[in-house]
Amino acid sequence: MNYTIIGAGKSGLHAAALAQDLGHNVFLTEAKPEAEAKSAAEELAKRSIEAEFGGHTDKGLDADIIVTSPGVPPSNPFIQEAEKRKIPIISEVEFAWRQIDPAKNPVVAITGTNGKTTTTALVAHILNQSGKKAIACGNIGTAITSVVRNLEPGTILVVETSSYQLDRIVDFRPDVALLLNITPDHLSYHGTFEQYCAAKYKITLNQNEKNVLILNADNEPSKAAAAHSRAQILHFGVHPLQQGMYVSSGKLLIPRGLPDSQRSALQTDFQHKEEQLMMVDELRIPGIHNVYNSMAAALAARAFEIRNEDIRDSLMSFAGVEHRLEYVRTLNGVDYINDSKATNINSTWYALSSYTKPLVWIAGGRGDNNDYAALDELVRSNVRCVIAIGEEADTIFNHFSSMVRCFKAGTMDDAVHRAAEFAESGSVALFSPACKSFDMFANYEHRGQVFKEAVMGL
């Protein structure tokens, strides 16, 4: 078969390699000029995979199937022409799924506007710490197409899935699906919030009565996914629930389990009276959002018969993920925190609410119709200074300058030095941009690394 791969990023390169390994004819098309994708071009050349750079020509339409990378919007002319010609277009996640034997390798899929990476890493951590073998992959940084070949039977794939990837699935059916939350994001891609929600709901599109769907009871768009699913539904939240997990009096509590008639094929014993899993303050990662993430991960682990004791020990030992409320260093009594993965307002809201110490907040990048008013109360109560960078610098400065002291910085190094000058001992210098990274950096990982280098250079 002829496969066309759109995009020479990590997922595109691994999809191309997988298609070639499966014996298909492969062609890759990339919008960036070759000079900006030199390493990708070299890798493709080593494999003798034909590729074009600097735009998508009709050559890529000579395909039996197209595998598209995350972020290539439906409005892309190449995508639209392929659809006119009725060429099947799938995501990398769908392509990888077709190589998996679900009887041998269960799949946990995690999506949501915020918390995906932390929860993906946390689920894999619990499973591995409890004697299972699990691989965290997908948007977390390891392309799922790079791990699906020659999987050891019993290995569980824990897959972070974006709305972009879910929008192009056909048969993808996770044994356990988690929809953590939905707030407005990526609207320039999806068009409307309703279409964004619809893409997220596709995580349960093909699930059946033997599968499990875990939803946030405190987020209405997430909870609404139940109406689109045939799976068994479990909820997590901060109010008492009949099925799932909730918080009460500083404790993570588990109510009665599923009745026998609704028990998953993954579960041999989900029968429990209400019991305490652990105290909230025993969680190692800070913030109410991580209480939610921990409950969701714990429910996913219980679907694989992980004992409560092992879940508790794993939650107490999990230190978090890079670029998400990542501790960098303490200098002159100031804690420096890298939250580069906060690419939207809601994610930064959680970051700002995670600390009781006074904050010096570095924010900015490329906005996505950001409504900074959602952060006003937190800024007034706990932020002592705002340092704005990137394309949104003027907007952020103009919005918050009447509330707190504000500065603008031209570079990350300037921003970090300004934060060091203003922060007092006992405070936190928090980099939580609330914006995309593409104005100044290749991605949020690159942005976070530059921040950490600047901090370590102080």
Side-chain angles (χ1 to χ4, degrees), residues 19-287:
Q20 186 185 59
D21 290 344
L22 292 170
H24 301 299
N25 299 315
V26 184
F27 177 75
L28 185 143
T29 177
E30 166 60 54
K32 289 181 181 177
E34 186 170 348
E36 295 180 20
K38 190 175 180 181
S39 61
E42 291 172 352
E43 189 169 335
L44 291 166
K46 286 178 185 176
R47 276 186 160 264
S48 299
I49 293 175
E50 187 179 358
E52 66 180 3
F53 294 86
H56 310 303
T57 69
D58 285 352
K59 183 172 177 57
L61 296 168
D62 182 19
D64 299 300
I65 194 163
I66 293 174
V67 181
T68 184
S69 297
V72 181
S75 59
N76 183 287
F78 184 85
I79 291 285
Q80 291 184 336
E81 182 61 30
E83 289 177 333
K84 283 182 185 177
R85 300 188 187 193
K86 301 189 183 305
I87 303 171
I89 305 170
I90 62 173
S91 66
E92 182 229 1
V93 166
E94 174 70 22
F95 181 35
W97 164 258
R98 296 180 181 185
Q99 321 311 319
I100 297 170
D101 182 349
K104 295 179 180 178
N105 298 108
V107 171
V108 179
I110 297 157
T111 196
T113 305
N114 296 297
K116 296 187 295 296
T117 299
T118 296
T119 306
T120 299
L122 187 48
V123 171
H125 176 75
I126 296 171
L127 293 173
N128 284 316
Q129 291 291 110
S130 305
K132 304 283 187 181
K133 183 173 182 181
I135 299 174
C137 54
N139 265 20
I140 197 168
T142 300
I144 184 173
T145 44
S146 71
V147 302
V148 294
R149 296 276 283 169
N150 305 314
L151 277 172
E152 182 181 331
T155 299
I156 302 166
L157 295 182
V158 185
V159 189
E160 178 184 339
T161 56
S162 70
S163 58
Y164 303 153
Q165 294 167 318
L166 292 170
D167 208 27
R168 293 286 182 182
I169 66 164
V170 179
D171 300 313
F172 179 63
R173 181 180 58 80
D175 298 277
V176 180
L178 290 76
L179 207 176
L180 304 175
N181 49 65
I182 308 179
T183 57
D185 198 17
H186 302 304
L187 301 189
S188 59
Y189 177 100
H190 292 287
T192 67
F193 182 61
E194 290 72 24
Q195 289 172 314
Y196 176 52
C197 291
K200 291 291 191 188
Y201 295 159
K202 286 185 179 180
I203 197 169
T204 191
L205 176 69
N206 299 305
Q207 284 192 300
N208 58 39
E209 295 79 3
K210 294 182 179 180
N211 305 137
V212 176
L213 175 63
I214 299 170
L215 302 174
N216 185 342
D218 299 333
N219 178 258
E220 287 299 327
S222 170
K223 194 164 65 171
H228 302 266
S229 180
R230 292 178 294 149
Q232 300 172 47
I233 308 297
L234 295 175
H235 289 100
F236 59 95
V238 296
H239 303 290
L241 297 164
Q242 291 185 336
Q243 304 289 352
M245 191 173 296
Y246 65 91
V247 179
S248 180
S249 302
K251 303 171 185 176
L252 295 186
L253 297 175
I254 306 164
R256 293 188 306 276
L258 295 167
D260 290 337
S261 62
Q262 296 180 10
R263 216 182 304 161
S264 166
L266 291 170
Q267 303 160 307
T268 58
D269 183 12
F270 211 99
Q271 301 299 330
H272 297 280
K273 295 180 181 179
E274 182 174 275
E275 56 190 304
Q276 178 179 326
L277 178 66
M278 63 193 297
M279 300 298 293
V280 169
D281 61 13
E282 291 180 304
L283 294 171
R284 188 170 175 184
I285 46 180

Side-chain angles (χ1 to χ4, degrees), residues 432-451:
S432 187
C435 296
K436 310 302 188 241
S437 58
F438 307 121
D439 57 336
M440 297 168 66
F441 306 97
N443 46 48
Y444 76 82
E445 295 99 334
H446 176 217
R447 177 170 66 182
Q449 192 59 42
V450 172
F451 170 77

Side-chain angles (χ1 to χ4, degrees), residues 269-344:
D269 183 12
F270 211 99
Q271 301 299 330
H272 297 280
K273 295 180 181 179
E274 182 174 275
E275 56 190 304
Q276 178 179 326
L277 178 66
M278 63 193 297
M279 300 298 293
V280 169
D281 61 13
E282 291 180 304
L283 294 171
R284 188 170 175 184
I285 46 180
I288 183 61
H289 60 299
N290 281 321
V291 175
Y292 281 97
N293 295 339
S294 297
M295 288 191 288
L299 288 173
R302 281 170 62 90
F304 291 93
E305 303 175 5
I306 303 301
R307 299 184 311 157
N308 287 348
E309 293 81 1
D310 291 330
I311 294 173
R312 179 168 55 248
D313 290 345
S314 299
L315 291 175
M316 292 173 68
S317 66
F318 182 72
V321 298
E322 189 177 17
H323 308 300
R324 193 69 184 98
L325 294 181
E326 176 193 8
Y327 171 79
V328 181
R329 74 184 293 197
T330 299
L331 181 65
N332 298 326
V334 178
D335 295 336
Y336 289 83
I337 305 296
N338 168 33
D339 195 41
S340 181
K341 201 172 191 306
T343 58
N344 56 57

Side-chain angles (χ1 to χ4, degrees), residues 345 361 363-373 375-376 379 386-404 406-409 433-435 439:
I345 292 291
W361 173 36
R366 176 164 293 170
D368 188 12
N369 298 313
N370 288 2
D371 180 9
Y372 295 102
L375 305 176
D376 287 356
V379 169
V386 176
I387 300 168
I389 62 172
E391 290 179 2
E392 284 283 275
D394 287 340
T395 302
I396 292 169
F397 180 90
N398 293 336
H399 183 87
F400 292 110
S401 59
S402 63
M403 304 175 201
V404 296
C406 289
F407 302 100
K408 286 185 280 187
C435 296
D439 57 336

